[in-house]
Amino acid sequence: MVTSITSFGRSGLYDWMIQRVTAVALAAYTIFLMGYMLFTPELDYQQWKELFECTAMRIFTLLALLSLAAHAWIGMWSISTDYIKPTGIRFLFQSACGLLTFIYVVWGIQILWGV
């Protein structure tokens, strides 16, 4: 069995399952936000701020942020291993994707929790 240090999960099946679970979490978050905006026609900054001050919404948003990061990493890893054949270039691409994902997650947490 071939294992890879850059894969998010332990196996292809595990990565596939993470992709599906994160897709469901992202879909739920998107549907919730669309519904909130649809049923709050006079949405202003104060209502938006109050929504994101709620701890449950912050946790839901954090779940969506982490889901997006995992989903994107697995997708980019799959694309890079399929289409970028030179090992050095693939390593650089995957390193850049990993670094950017980390930066976006940290930045998102700072914005979300006001750290």
Side-chain angles (χ1 to χ4, degrees):
M1 182 168 109
V2 176
T3 59
S4 176
I5 196 165
T6 57
S7 176
F8 192 77
R10 296 173 290 215
S11 68
L13 179 62
Y14 191 71
D15 285 348
W16 181 87
M17 184 59 80
I18 291 172
Q19 280 285 94
R20 295 330 177 254
V21 169
T22 58
V24 169
L26 290 169
Y29 188 75
T30 302
I31 291 167
F32 172 79
L33 282 181
M34 289 175 67
Y36 184 80
M37 287 188 266
L38 183 66
F39 292 112
T40 312
E42 299 297 322
L43 186 62
D44 61 2
Y45 174 76
Q46 188 61 35
Q47 291 171 319
W48 193 252
K49 184 180 175 203
E50 288 172 2
L51 173 67
F52 282 93
E53 284 178 347
C54 176
T55 302
M57 186 61 190
R58 286 183 176 186
I59 291 170
F60 192 26
T61 303
L62 181 61
L63 173 68
L65 179 65
L66 296 175
S67 294
L68 181 64
H71 195 91
W73 170 252
I74 292 170
M76 295 309 290
W77 181 85
S78 298
I79 290 169
S80 67
T81 55
D82 285 347
Y83 296 108
I84 303 175
K85 297 303 178 188
T87 306
I89 296 171
R90 184 173 61 236
F91 176 76
L92 288 174
F93 177 79
Q94 290 175 348
S95 297
C97 288
L99 180 63
L100 284 172
T101 301
F102 176 75
I103 289 169
Y104 290 147
V105 166
V106 170
W107 189 20
I109 291 170
Q110 286 179 333
I111 291 169
L112 186 61
W113 294 97
V115 177

